[in-house]
Amino acid sequence: MSRLILVNFLLVLLILSACQNSSERNHTAENQYNILPKPAKLLAKKGKFLISTDTRILLENDDIGLQKAADYLIDFLKKGTGHQLQIETTGDTKDAIIFRLDNTIKNEEGYQLSVSPYETTITSKTGKGAFYAVQTLLQLMPSNVFKAGNKSKNIPVSCVEITDEPRFSYRGMHLDVARHLFPVDFIKKFIDLIAMHKQNKFHWHLTEDQGWRIEIKKYPKLQEISAFRDETLIGHASDNPEHFDGKRYGGFYTQEEVKEIVKYAQDRFVTVIPEIEMPGHSSAALAAYPELACTDGPFKVQTKWGVFEEVYCPKEETFEFLENVLVEVMDLFPGEYIHIGGDECPKAAWKASSFCQDLIKREGLKDENELQSYFITRMEKFINSKGRKIIGWDEILEGGLAPNAAVMSWRGTEGGIEAARQKHNVVMTPTSHCYLDYYQSQPEDEPLAIGGYLPLAKVYSYDPIPQELKDEEAKYILGVQGNVWTEYIPTPEHAEYMTFPRSIALAEIGWTSQDDRNYEDFTTRLVNHFSRLNALDVNYANHVLKVDGRVTSTENGVQLSLNTKAGSGYNIRYMIVGGSDEKIDYKNPIPITERTTIIAATHSGVTQIGNVA
Ligand code: ACM
């Protein structure tokens, strides 16, 4: 006899409690080494080093980088626990956290961390390595040190021996502040989270069709006109008819704010890479300076999302404008790379322009793609003449790559493969694995997003070295980056939800060797790591804790199996709605004999830590 069984899953969004209770802490205590990203070598040790009011920092070398790493630790513990550790340069190593330089360590960012009940020693080649040792050290402490204002007297640190270094030198996160603008404090929090996960590049997408977000003193109309749009599209760009909110939107970062952010990032060994888009995605600049286009205008700061036809015209006055802008930009950002965009530049305006067609003839160019290459190569020459390098989206390969340019491969991996074969540096950031504006779960359960589907497991499965590359080509792959485009991400909380924990998967891809990576192990560490993110008030997405149900029909009848990806050490509890309303520990598949509604959630002991499903 066949029976129709309907099992309903209710989805109730619960916000995780920011404070842990004791059963969650017990779990963390049993599993002490939840370090993200996973270190190269870790030898577990018994016992604890106690950070108390007696603990001192012993800086064995007079080195600015080492001092910076030590200062970071001091500030962090002061904020989190009220402890004010003192720095000494000589003295007893007992109860000390020792910072020591060692030139025999090969990797600039590598470190050794030895924690014993007697002393803690950080050995590194540079301040960067010491900083990453500090990040690991913090993750050996209880998660409440991450909560500002907590007043712990003694902080236990799990004893361990760690030897660690990154797989890639470029471990980046991008943030689009043009489609939506984010406050300075949020940018700092974003940088803190980049640094916490041992990422080292912040790609700051500053200019777009919908807004220009950096103060350029020579061109005040960029602030007066380009920084503001009249209104913003509501809903998805594909909606028909379109709706707008009717509200003026905008703003920009002053040069003082930019300096503050760059310094904040430097103190965390994060390089900020500014992006000034050209020749496309330039509507906002053209709205203020229409003479830089090929047609007369007027142009407006765009109010909806997409790619727009009018772009910078490759005229002398455009080059002069962009060079003047870049002079101010390079004064503010001391890093090696300046991002010049280069993506999604429609060629219709250039095709229709007699000026462009004459220029193509005069320069002996084949077509508009070569004209784009001419544009980028000119800008590259200028940037190179100031001792800097350019990086651009993979369209800069079309029409010929500028001689020293690095490429961000976003439309897949082909651009990266091609650039590496041409011996150009590459950052891999393909939409397939690195676009954190894509949905991370079923769209009906999620806030509106641009599209796509990129769950955490898929992000984690990515290997930035394309199999097509030979070893000598693969060395041009500098690393990996996650991109947070913000057309559909209007607030900091939403940006955190889209970014975390997928960016943490990317951080581990960038740091940990491919052979050492395992998704089950990652998610187990991640679930424990959530207590740190809770302490830091990060609005991460917790789909990894979701309970999945599967109904099967066997000779013993119909049953429901429940499963969570939270990893070992976590359990599922469920309730039969309309039944006794008691939470039951899930052990074996549940026999289903009638129409039943069951709700279930991942637990740590009796504490619910996941959403109800
Ligand atoms: C891009 O996503 N247009 C680089």
Side-chain angles (χ1 to χ4, degrees):
M1 192 175 71
S2 81
R3 281 171 294 176
L4 183 63
I5 307 293
L6 199 61
V7 179
N8 298 322
F9 288 90
L10 301 178
L11 188 79
V12 181
L13 283 178
L14 297 180
I15 307 298
L16 281 183
S17 152
C19 58
Q20 284 189 298
N21 75 15
S22 58
S23 70
E24 208 176 334
R25 270 203 301 274
N26 287 343
H27 181 89
T28 309
E30 283 161 25
N31 189 357
Q32 300 158 342
Y33 304 110
N34 294 299
I35 298 164
L36 279 150
K38 188 180 179 194
K41 277 194 207 131
L42 182 151
L43 187 63
K45 291 271 166 110
K46 285 216 172 78
K48 303 276 180 192
F49 174 81
L50 270 194
I51 297 179
S52 68
T53 44
D54 293 338
T55 308
R56 294 149 299 115
I57 288 189
L58 193 55
L59 265 192
E60 289 196 351
N61 306 79
D62 182 15
D63 177 83
I64 293 176
L66 218 51
Q67 174 89 44
K68 220 156 76 167
D71 285 345
Y72 180 88
L73 176 62
I74 291 167
D75 289 349
F76 199 97
L77 290 181
K78 173 106 174 78
K79 207 161 110 198
T81 69
H83 272 297
Q84 171 77 57
L85 300 185
Q86 300 302 323
I87 295 191
E88 295 175 358
T89 52
T90 56
D92 193 358
T93 62
K94 178 165 167 35
D95 285 333
I97 301 172
I98 304 150
F99 285 76
R100 179 177 298 154
L101 288 184
D102 179 352
N103 246 325
T104 65
I105 292 179
K106 286 207 181 71
N107 194 302
E108 294 282 312
E109 297 179 295
Y111 67 89
Q112 287 161 7
L113 171 64
S114 166
V115 182
S116 78
Y118 184 83
E119 66 190 17
T120 289
T121 311
I122 288 170
T123 316
S124 62
K125 183 172 189 169
T126 69
K128 283 186 227 171
F131 180 77
Y132 295 128
V134 166
Q135 292 299 341
T136 300
L137 184 65
L138 293 171
Q139 294 191 14
L140 294 168
M141 299 178 196
S143 53
N144 60 9
V145 301
F146 290 83
K147 180 127 197 107
N150 155 57
K151 293 270 184 267
S152 306
K153 283 225 175 64
N154 292 317
I155 308 161
V157 185
S158 302
C159 291
V160 75
E161 296 285 338
I162 289 175
T163 305
D164 201 8
E165 63 177 31
R167 179 181 180 201
F168 292 106
S169 63
Y170 189 113
R171 305 176 302 280
M173 280 303 299
H174 151 288
L175 182 67
D176 167 12
V177 296
R179 272 57 176 262
H180 285 101
L181 182 60
F182 297 88
V184 169
D185 279 351
F186 177 71
I187 303 293
K188 289 182 175 172
K189 185 177 181 188
F190 199 75
I191 289 169
D192 277 332
L193 291 162
I194 286 175
M196 175 185 186
H197 299 103
K198 302 190 176 80
Q199 291 167 305
N200 60 3
K201 303 286 187 285
F202 171 46
H203 172 174
W204 202 4
H205 186 81
L206 286 163
T207 73
E208 258 305 338
D209 296 300
Q210 297 83 4
W212 182 286
R213 303 277 173 245
I214 178 169
E215 179 187 21
I216 300 295
K217 294 195 191 282
K218 196 172 174 79
Y219 296 106
K221 283 195 280 183
L222 290 175
Q223 286 72 254
E224 290 155 23
I225 296 173
S226 309
F228 295 89
R229 59 179 178 254
D230 288 341
E231 57 185 355
T232 302
L233 185 79
I234 298 172
H236 199 273
S238 60
D239 290 353
N240 191 2
E242 292 169 334
H243 295 287
F244 293 86
D245 65 4
K247 292 183 201 143
R248 183 170 150 87
Y249 180 95
F252 60 91
Y253 301 96
T254 66
Q255 293 204 354
E256 282 314 304
E257 287 171 330
V258 170
K259 282 182 204 161
E260 187 185 323
I261 285 166
V262 169
K263 162 85 171 65
Y264 192 84
Q266 280 172 334
D267 288 346
R268 287 149 183 77
F269 295 91
V270 172
T271 304
V272 187
I273 300 176
E275 180 176 353
I276 305 296
E277 277 270 20
M278 62 188 82
H281 289 292
S282 44
S283 305
L286 298 181
Y289 297 99
E291 61 275 20
L292 306 180
C294 287
T295 54
D296 287 342
F299 308 106
K300 69 167 193 174
V301 181
Q302 301 294 347
T303 54
K304 59 184 178 182
W305 322 124
V307 169
F308 300 90
E309 290 295 329
E310 194 50 84
V311 299
Y312 290 123
C313 201
K315 307 190 254 197
E316 286 313 308
E317 62 189 307
T318 303
F319 290 117
E320 189 187 329
F321 166 83
L322 288 171
E323 288 176 10
N324 288 333
V325 165
L326 287 170
V327 164
E328 292 193 33
V329 168
M330 285 187 277
D331 275 351
L332 293 166
F333 296 91
E336 179 183 21
Y337 281 110
I338 302 293
H339 202 301
I340 48 72
D343 60 321
E344 298 178 318
C345 178
K347 305 293 186 306
W350 291 359
K351 276 200 172 95
S353 150
S354 58
F355 170 81
C356 291
Q357 295 309 311
D358 287 349
L359 182 60
I360 286 174
K361 280 201 203 95
R362 206 165 57 242
E363 292 292 328
L365 306 172
K366 203 166 81 208
D367 56 15
E368 290 74 23
N369 280 341
E370 288 201 1
L371 185 55
Q372 161 139 342
S373 175
Y374 164 87
F375 194 120
I376 300 293
T377 302
R378 269 194 73 156
M379 294 314 302
E380 181 186 59
K381 263 199 200 119
F382 177 74
I383 290 171
N384 286 169
S385 77
K386 307 286 177 206
R388 309 296 187 88
K389 294 183 184 160
I390 66 162
I391 186 164
W393 301 110
D394 58 42
E395 286 92 331
I396 66 171
L397 278 150
E398 292 162 6
L401 202 45
N404 305 307
V407 170
M408 270 188 185
S409 188
W410 74 278
R411 294 176 300 174
T413 55
E414 295 75 15
I417 293 166
E418 181 55 33
R421 286 187 175 145
Q422 292 184 32
K423 301 189 186 337
H424 285 252
N425 285 335
V426 173
V427 173
M428 298 303 286
T429 181
T431 52
S432 58
H433 294 83
C434 298
Y435 268 47
L436 306 189
D437 56 338
Y438 283 14
Y439 284 105
Q440 51 193 320
S441 182
Q442 299 310 318
E444 54 274 19
D445 300 334
E446 293 292 314
L448 180 70
I450 194 163
Y453 179 59
L454 181 54
L456 181 67
K458 181 160 186 209
V459 176
Y460 195 79
S461 71
Y462 185 54
D463 179 357
I465 303 285
Q467 285 181 345
E468 294 88 334
L469 290 183
K470 301 192 188 106
D471 285 354
E472 67 268 23
E473 295 163 340
K475 67 176 195 272
Y476 291 99
I477 307 290
L478 298 181
V480 63
Q481 175 172 288
N483 293 339
V484 184
W485 298 102
T486 60
E487 289 94 330
Y488 299 92
I489 304 180
T491 65
E493 293 73 25
H494 193 161
E496 289 177 8
Y497 178 79
M498 299 305 279
T499 306
F500 304 100
R502 290 184 292 183
S503 72
I504 305 174
L506 288 167
E508 185 146 306
I509 292 168
W511 184 274
T512 307
S513 74
Q514 185 69 8
D515 290 346
D516 275 349
R517 294 203 292 115
N518 170 293
Y519 186 65
E520 286 302 311
D521 171 57
F522 168 71
T523 50
T524 304
R525 280 177 289 116
L526 180 66
V527 169
N528 285 288
H529 189 66
F530 282 166
S531 59
R532 297 175 194 132
L533 300 185
N534 290 339
L536 291 166
D537 276 330
V538 179
N539 183 39
Y540 57 87
N542 69 356
H543 303 90
V544 72
L545 299 173
K546 194 172 143 244
V547 173
D548 286 320
R550 212 160 69 89
V551 179
T552 47
S553 186
T554 68
E555 58 205 28
N556 299 329
V558 175
Q559 51 188 29
L560 172 71
S561 313
L562 299 178
N563 191 19
T564 173
K565 292 206 174 62
S568 59
Y570 290 90
N571 52 302
I572 295 171
R573 307 192 86 206
Y574 69 95
M575 220 164 71
I576 298 173
V577 175
S580 66
D581 277 359
E582 244 176 69
K583 276 191 175 180
I584 305 165
D585 283 322
Y586 174 79
K587 296 216 165 60
N588 297 308
I590 307 159
I592 306 286
T593 53
E594 59 190 330
R595 185 189 170 97
T596 309
T597 299
I598 286 178
I599 60 173
T602 301
H603 282 63
S604 171
V606 294
T607 307
Q608 182 178 321
I609 57 169
N611 294 341
V612 173

